[in-house]
Amino acid sequence: IAMAALLSIVLACSAISFNRTLAWKDDYILLKDTTGKSPNKARPRSNLALRAYLNGLYDEAFFEAKKTIGLYYYYPTAHYIIGLTLYDKGRYAESLKAYDWALITAEKYLNNPAYMAQIHKSRGLAWKALGDNDSAAKEFNEATRLDPSIRINGY
């Protein structure tokens, strides 16, 4: 009887453990699970926003980035994701405002030239979409100054 009880406990724990691994089968599901368990933390929400954006879930990415900013306003990635989603929706002038905040917070809190180069590249694309090629060229030049390996088509 003791052996049967031990075996049933082991089988139950194995089943629970196997069930838990389903939550980790990809990054999106794992981040969704993490955000559900830490709803008032900015980093898990920002990570989920980025993963949602990369998976093409732009509305969810925008929503999670807005929630991140609500929890911690000075989170550069959240501002950047908002800019990317606005750009993808054709709202170029609004995306520039989000990129501005992403750049301000990135300069203050990250000091990562490669990341700031990506923001400048995105700003350049928004300016180009608005028809301001001079501003676009300035942004692209700044992007390549910060990260010479960055690729910008047409410039």
Short mmCIF file of all heavy atoms in Angstrom, two decimals, residues 39-82:
data_model
loop_
_atom_site.label_atom_id
_atom_site.label_comp_id
_atom_site.label_asym_id
_atom_site.label_seq_id
_atom_site.Cartn_x
_atom_site.Cartn_y
_atom_site.Cartn_z
N PRO A 39 1.35 41.17 -12.61
CA PRO A 39 0.64 42.17 -13.42
C PRO A 39 1.07 43.61 -13.16
O PRO A 39 0.82 44.48 -14.00
CB PRO A 39 -0.83 41.96 -13.03
CG PRO A 39 -0.79 41.35 -11.68
CD PRO A 39 0.47 40.54 -11.62
N ASN A 40 1.71 43.87 -12.05
CA ASN A 40 2.10 45.24 -11.72
C ASN A 40 3.59 45.48 -11.87
O ASN A 40 4.14 46.38 -11.25
CB ASN A 40 1.64 45.59 -10.31
CG ASN A 40 0.13 45.55 -10.19
OD1 ASN A 40 -0.57 45.96 -11.11
ND2 ASN A 40 -0.37 45.04 -9.09
N LYS A 41 4.25 44.71 -12.70
CA LYS A 41 5.67 44.87 -12.96
C LYS A 41 5.86 45.35 -14.40
O LYS A 41 5.24 44.83 -15.33
CB LYS A 41 6.42 43.55 -12.77
CG LYS A 41 6.31 42.95 -11.40
CD LYS A 41 7.31 43.57 -10.49
CE LYS A 41 7.24 42.88 -9.13
NZ LYS A 41 8.18 43.40 -8.22
N ALA A 42 6.72 46.34 -14.58
CA ALA A 42 6.91 46.92 -15.90
C ALA A 42 7.72 46.02 -16.84
O ALA A 42 7.39 45.91 -18.02
CB ALA A 42 7.60 48.28 -15.78
N ARG A 43 8.76 45.38 -16.34
CA ARG A 43 9.64 44.60 -17.22
C ARG A 43 8.91 43.44 -17.90
O ARG A 43 9.05 43.27 -19.11
CB ARG A 43 10.87 44.10 -16.47
CG ARG A 43 11.80 43.32 -17.41
CD ARG A 43 13.07 42.91 -16.75
NE ARG A 43 13.86 44.10 -16.51
CZ ARG A 43 14.88 44.13 -15.68
NH1 ARG A 43 15.24 43.06 -15.01
NH2 ARG A 43 15.58 45.24 -15.51
N PRO A 44 8.15 42.61 -17.17
CA PRO A 44 7.45 41.53 -17.88
C PRO A 44 6.48 42.06 -18.94
O PRO A 44 6.36 41.49 -20.03
CB PRO A 44 6.70 40.78 -16.79
CG PRO A 44 7.39 41.12 -15.53
CD PRO A 44 7.97 42.48 -15.72
N ARG A 45 5.82 43.16 -18.65
CA ARG A 45 4.88 43.74 -19.62
C ARG A 45 5.62 44.25 -20.85
O ARG A 45 5.17 44.07 -21.98
CB ARG A 45 4.07 44.86 -19.00
CG ARG A 45 3.06 44.34 -18.02
CD ARG A 45 1.85 45.23 -17.96
NE ARG A 45 0.86 44.63 -17.09
CZ ARG A 45 -0.06 43.77 -17.48
NH1 ARG A 45 -0.12 43.41 -18.74
NH2 ARG A 45 -0.92 43.27 -16.63
N SER A 46 6.77 44.90 -20.63
CA SER A 46 7.55 45.40 -21.75
C SER A 46 8.08 44.25 -22.60
O SER A 46 8.06 44.32 -23.83
CB SER A 46 8.71 46.27 -21.24
OG SER A 46 9.46 46.74 -22.33
N ASN A 47 8.54 43.19 -21.94
CA ASN A 47 9.02 42.01 -22.68
C ASN A 47 7.89 41.37 -23.48
O ASN A 47 8.09 40.96 -24.62
CB ASN A 47 9.62 40.99 -21.71
CG ASN A 47 10.93 41.48 -21.12
OD1 ASN A 47 11.57 42.38 -21.63
ND2 ASN A 47 11.32 40.88 -20.01
N LEU A 48 6.69 41.31 -22.90
CA LEU A 48 5.54 40.76 -23.61
C LEU A 48 5.17 41.66 -24.79
O LEU A 48 4.85 41.16 -25.87
CB LEU A 48 4.35 40.60 -22.67
CG LEU A 48 3.06 40.09 -23.31
CD1 LEU A 48 3.26 38.73 -23.95
CD2 LEU A 48 1.94 40.04 -22.27
N ALA A 49 5.24 42.97 -24.60
CA ALA A 49 4.93 43.90 -25.69
C ALA A 49 5.89 43.69 -26.86
O ALA A 49 5.48 43.65 -28.02
CB ALA A 49 4.99 45.34 -25.19
N LEU A 50 7.17 43.53 -26.55
CA LEU A 50 8.16 43.31 -27.60
C LEU A 50 7.91 41.99 -28.31
O LEU A 50 7.92 41.94 -29.54
CB LEU A 50 9.57 43.33 -27.01
CG LEU A 50 10.71 43.09 -27.99
CD1 LEU A 50 10.70 44.13 -29.10
CD2 LEU A 50 12.04 43.09 -27.26
N ARG A 51 7.67 40.93 -27.57
CA ARG A 51 7.41 39.62 -28.18
C ARG A 51 6.13 39.67 -29.01
O ARG A 51 6.08 39.11 -30.10
CB ARG A 51 7.35 38.54 -27.11
CG ARG A 51 7.05 37.15 -27.61
CD ARG A 51 7.88 36.67 -28.76
NE ARG A 51 9.29 36.78 -28.56
CZ ARG A 51 10.19 36.72 -29.53
NH1 ARG A 51 9.82 36.53 -30.78
NH2 ARG A 51 11.48 36.85 -29.27
N ALA A 52 5.10 40.32 -28.51
CA ALA A 52 3.84 40.44 -29.26
C ALA A 52 4.09 41.19 -30.57
O ALA A 52 3.58 40.79 -31.63
CB ALA A 52 2.78 41.13 -28.42
N TYR A 53 4.88 42.26 -30.51
CA TYR A 53 5.20 43.02 -31.73
C TYR A 53 5.95 42.13 -32.73
O TYR A 53 5.62 42.12 -33.92
CB TYR A 53 6.02 44.27 -31.41
CG TYR A 53 6.34 45.06 -32.64
CD1 TYR A 53 5.39 45.90 -33.20
CD2 TYR A 53 7.56 44.92 -33.28
CE1 TYR A 53 5.66 46.61 -34.36
CE2 TYR A 53 7.84 45.62 -34.44
CZ TYR A 53 6.89 46.45 -34.98
OH TYR A 53 7.15 47.13 -36.14
N LEU A 54 6.93 41.40 -32.24
CA LEU A 54 7.71 40.53 -33.12
C LEU A 54 6.86 39.41 -33.71
O LEU A 54 7.14 38.91 -34.80
CB LEU A 54 8.92 39.96 -32.38
CG LEU A 54 9.98 40.98 -31.97
CD1 LEU A 54 11.04 40.33 -31.11
CD2 LEU A 54 10.59 41.66 -33.19
N ASN A 55 5.81 39.01 -33.00
CA ASN A 55 4.90 37.97 -33.49
C ASN A 55 3.79 38.55 -34.38
O ASN A 55 2.93 37.81 -34.83
CB ASN A 55 4.26 37.21 -32.33
CG ASN A 55 5.23 36.26 -31.66
OD1 ASN A 55 6.37 36.13 -32.06
ND2 ASN A 55 4.77 35.61 -30.61
N GLY A 56 3.81 39.86 -34.59
CA GLY A 56 2.81 40.50 -35.45
C GLY A 56 1.50 40.84 -34.76
O GLY A 56 0.53 41.18 -35.42
N LEU A 57 1.48 40.77 -33.44
CA LEU A 57 0.28 41.10 -32.67
C LEU A 57 0.36 42.56 -32.24
O LEU A 57 0.60 42.88 -31.08
CB LEU A 57 0.17 40.16 -31.46
CG LEU A 57 0.18 38.67 -31.78
CD1 LEU A 57 0.33 37.85 -30.52
CD2 LEU A 57 -1.08 38.30 -32.53
N TYR A 58 0.17 43.47 -33.19
CA TYR A 58 0.43 44.88 -32.97
C TYR A 58 -0.50 45.53 -31.95
O TYR A 58 -0.06 46.36 -31.16
CB TYR A 58 0.38 45.65 -34.30
CG TYR A 58 1.38 45.12 -35.30
CD1 TYR A 58 0.98 44.76 -36.57
CD2 TYR A 58 2.72 44.97 -34.97
CE1 TYR A 58 1.89 44.25 -37.48
CE2 TYR A 58 3.63 44.47 -35.87
CZ TYR A 58 3.22 44.12 -37.12
OH TYR A 58 4.12 43.62 -38.02
N ASP A 59 -1.76 45.16 -31.96
CA ASP A 59 -2.69 45.75 -30.99
C ASP A 59 -2.33 45.34 -29.57
O ASP A 59 -2.35 46.16 -28.65
CB ASP A 59 -4.14 45.35 -31.31
CG ASP A 59 -4.65 46.02 -32.58
OD1 ASP A 59 -4.12 47.09 -32.93
OD2 ASP A 59 -5.56 45.46 -33.21
N GLU A 60 -1.99 44.07 -29.39
CA GLU A 60 -1.58 43.62 -28.06
C GLU A 60 -0.26 44.27 -27.64
O GLU A 60 -0.08 44.64 -26.49
CB GLU A 60 -1.45 42.10 -28.00
CG GLU A 60 -1.11 41.62 -26.62
CD GLU A 60 -1.11 40.12 -26.47
OE1 GLU A 60 -1.45 39.40 -27.42
OE2 GLU A 60 -0.76 39.66 -25.37
N ALA A 61 0.66 44.40 -28.59
CA ALA A 61 1.94 45.05 -28.29
C ALA A 61 1.70 46.48 -27.83
O ALA A 61 2.29 46.93 -26.84
CB ALA A 61 2.83 45.03 -29.53
N PHE A 62 0.84 47.20 -28.53
CA PHE A 62 0.53 48.58 -28.16
C PHE A 62 -0.10 48.63 -26.77
O PHE A 62 0.29 49.45 -25.93
CB PHE A 62 -0.44 49.18 -29.20
CG PHE A 62 -0.72 50.63 -28.99
CD1 PHE A 62 0.15 51.59 -29.47
CD2 PHE A 62 -1.87 51.04 -28.34
CE1 PHE A 62 -0.11 52.95 -29.29
CE2 PHE A 62 -2.14 52.38 -28.16
CZ PHE A 62 -1.26 53.34 -28.63
N PHE A 63 -1.06 47.75 -26.51
CA PHE A 63 -1.74 47.71 -25.22
C PHE A 63 -0.75 47.41 -24.08
O PHE A 63 -0.76 48.09 -23.04
CB PHE A 63 -2.83 46.63 -25.27
CG PHE A 63 -3.52 46.40 -23.96
CD1 PHE A 63 -4.47 47.29 -23.49
CD2 PHE A 63 -3.22 45.28 -23.20
CE1 PHE A 63 -5.10 47.08 -22.27
CE2 PHE A 63 -3.86 45.05 -21.98
CZ PHE A 63 -4.79 45.95 -21.52
N GLU A 64 0.12 46.43 -24.26
CA GLU A 64 1.08 46.06 -23.21
C GLU A 64 2.11 47.16 -23.01
O GLU A 64 2.54 47.43 -21.88
CB GLU A 64 1.76 44.73 -23.54
CG GLU A 64 0.85 43.53 -23.45
CD GLU A 64 0.28 43.29 -22.06
OE1 GLU A 64 0.89 43.70 -21.05
OE2 GLU A 64 -0.79 42.67 -21.97
N ALA A 65 2.53 47.82 -24.09
CA ALA A 65 3.48 48.92 -23.95
C ALA A 65 2.85 50.09 -23.20
O ALA A 65 3.50 50.72 -22.35
CB ALA A 65 3.97 49.37 -25.33
N LYS A 66 1.58 50.38 -23.47
CA LYS A 66 0.88 51.44 -22.74
C LYS A 66 0.78 51.09 -21.26
O LYS A 66 0.95 51.95 -20.40
CB LYS A 66 -0.53 51.65 -23.31
CG LYS A 66 -0.56 52.47 -24.56
CD LYS A 66 -0.27 53.91 -24.24
CE LYS A 66 -0.81 54.82 -25.29
NZ LYS A 66 -0.41 56.19 -25.08
N LYS A 67 0.49 49.83 -20.96
CA LYS A 67 0.43 49.40 -19.56
C LYS A 67 1.79 49.53 -18.90
O LYS A 67 1.89 49.91 -17.74
CB LYS A 67 -0.08 47.97 -19.45
CG LYS A 67 -1.56 47.85 -19.57
CD LYS A 67 -2.01 46.55 -18.96
CE LYS A 67 -3.45 46.74 -18.55
NZ LYS A 67 -3.85 45.89 -17.50
N THR A 68 2.85 49.22 -19.63
CA THR A 68 4.21 49.36 -19.10
C THR A 68 4.47 50.81 -18.72
O THR A 68 4.99 51.09 -17.64
CB THR A 68 5.26 48.91 -20.14
OG1 THR A 68 5.01 47.55 -20.48
CG2 THR A 68 6.66 49.04 -19.60
N ILE A 69 4.12 51.73 -19.61
CA ILE A 69 4.33 53.15 -19.34
C ILE A 69 3.50 53.60 -18.15
O ILE A 69 3.93 54.44 -17.37
CB ILE A 69 4.04 53.98 -20.61
CG1 ILE A 69 5.13 53.70 -21.64
CG2 ILE A 69 3.95 55.45 -20.31
CD1 ILE A 69 4.86 54.28 -23.00
N GLY A 70 2.31 53.03 -18.01
CA GLY A 70 1.49 53.34 -16.85
C GLY A 70 2.13 52.90 -15.54
O GLY A 70 1.97 53.54 -14.50
N LEU A 71 2.89 51.82 -15.61
CA LEU A 71 3.57 51.32 -14.41
C LEU A 71 4.90 52.04 -14.17
O LEU A 71 5.28 52.29 -13.03
CB LEU A 71 3.83 49.81 -14.54
CG LEU A 71 2.57 48.95 -14.55
CD1 LEU A 71 2.92 47.52 -14.98
CD2 LEU A 71 1.93 48.96 -13.17
N TYR A 72 5.63 52.32 -15.26
CA TYR A 72 6.92 52.99 -15.15
C TYR A 72 7.13 53.79 -16.43
O TYR A 72 7.44 53.23 -17.48
CB TYR A 72 8.05 51.96 -14.94
CG TYR A 72 9.40 52.59 -14.75
CD1 TYR A 72 9.68 53.33 -13.60
CD2 TYR A 72 10.39 52.47 -15.70
CE1 TYR A 72 10.92 53.91 -13.42
CE2 TYR A 72 11.63 53.05 -15.53
CZ TYR A 72 11.88 53.77 -14.38
OH TYR A 72 13.11 54.36 -14.21
N TYR A 73 6.95 55.10 -16.33
CA TYR A 73 6.93 55.96 -17.52
C TYR A 73 8.26 55.99 -18.27
O TYR A 73 8.29 56.18 -19.48
CB TYR A 73 6.51 57.38 -17.13
CG TYR A 73 6.21 58.23 -18.33
CD1 TYR A 73 5.00 58.09 -18.99
CD2 TYR A 73 7.13 59.13 -18.82
CE1 TYR A 73 4.70 58.84 -20.11
CE2 TYR A 73 6.85 59.89 -19.95
CZ TYR A 73 5.64 59.74 -20.59
OH TYR A 73 5.35 60.47 -21.69
N TYR A 74 9.35 55.80 -17.57
CA TYR A 74 10.67 55.98 -18.17
C TYR A 74 11.24 54.69 -18.72
O TYR A 74 12.43 54.44 -18.62
CB TYR A 74 11.61 56.62 -17.16
CG TYR A 74 11.07 57.93 -16.65
CD1 TYR A 74 10.48 58.03 -15.41
CD2 TYR A 74 11.10 59.05 -17.46
CE1 TYR A 74 9.96 59.23 -14.96
CE2 TYR A 74 10.57 60.26 -17.03
CZ TYR A 74 10.00 60.33 -15.78
OH TYR A 74 9.47 61.51 -15.36
N TYR A 75 10.42 53.86 -19.31
CA TYR A 75 10.85 52.58 -19.88
C TYR A 75 11.00 52.77 -21.39
O TYR A 75 10.02 52.81 -22.12
CB TYR A 75 9.81 51.50 -19.58
CG TYR A 75 10.42 50.15 -19.35
CD1 TYR A 75 10.68 49.71 -18.07
CD2 TYR A 75 10.75 49.33 -20.41
CE1 TYR A 75 11.25 48.48 -17.85
CE2 TYR A 75 11.32 48.10 -20.19
CZ TYR A 75 11.56 47.68 -18.90
OH TYR A 75 12.14 46.46 -18.69
N PRO A 76 12.25 52.89 -21.89
CA PRO A 76 12.46 53.24 -23.31
C PRO A 76 11.85 52.24 -24.29
O PRO A 76 11.31 52.63 -25.32
CB PRO A 76 13.97 53.29 -23.46
CG PRO A 76 14.56 53.01 -22.15
CD PRO A 76 13.49 52.74 -21.17
N THR A 77 11.93 50.97 -23.99
CA THR A 77 11.43 49.96 -24.92
C THR A 77 9.93 50.10 -25.13
O THR A 77 9.44 49.93 -26.25
CB THR A 77 11.76 48.55 -24.40
OG1 THR A 77 13.16 48.47 -24.16
CG2 THR A 77 11.38 47.48 -25.40
N ALA A 78 9.20 50.44 -24.09
CA ALA A 78 7.75 50.61 -24.22
C ALA A 78 7.43 51.77 -25.16
O ALA A 78 6.56 51.66 -26.03
CB ALA A 78 7.11 50.83 -22.85
N HIS A 79 8.13 52.89 -25.01
CA HIS A 79 7.91 54.03 -25.91
C HIS A 79 8.27 53.65 -27.35
O HIS A 79 7.57 54.03 -28.29
CB HIS A 79 8.74 55.23 -25.46
CG HIS A 79 8.25 55.86 -24.20
ND1 HIS A 79 7.11 56.63 -24.14
CD2 HIS A 79 8.76 55.84 -22.94
CE1 HIS A 79 6.92 57.06 -22.91
NE2 HIS A 79 7.91 56.58 -22.16
N TYR A 80 9.36 52.91 -27.50
CA TYR A 80 9.80 52.50 -28.83
C TYR A 80 8.77 51.58 -29.49
O TYR A 80 8.45 51.73 -30.68
CB TYR A 80 11.17 51.83 -28.74
CG TYR A 80 11.79 51.52 -30.07
CD1 TYR A 80 11.90 52.48 -31.07
CD2 TYR A 80 12.28 50.25 -30.35
CE1 TYR A 80 12.48 52.19 -32.29
CE2 TYR A 80 12.86 49.95 -31.56
CZ TYR A 80 12.96 50.93 -32.53
OH TYR A 80 13.52 50.63 -33.75
N ILE A 81 8.23 50.64 -28.74
CA ILE A 81 7.23 49.73 -29.29
C ILE A 81 5.97 50.49 -29.69
O ILE A 81 5.38 50.22 -30.74
CB ILE A 81 6.92 48.60 -28.29
CG1 ILE A 81 8.15 47.70 -28.15
CG2 ILE A 81 5.71 47.79 -28.73
CD1 ILE A 81 8.08 46.74 -26.99
N ILE A 82 5.59 51.47 -28.89
CA ILE A 82 4.43 52.30 -29.25
C ILE A 82 4.72 53.02 -30.57
O ILE A 82 3.88 53.07 -31.46
CB ILE A 82 4.08 53.29 -28.12
CG1 ILE A 82 3.45 52.52 -26.95
CG2 ILE A 82 3.14 54.38 -28.62
CD1 ILE A 82 3.24 53.34 -25.71
#
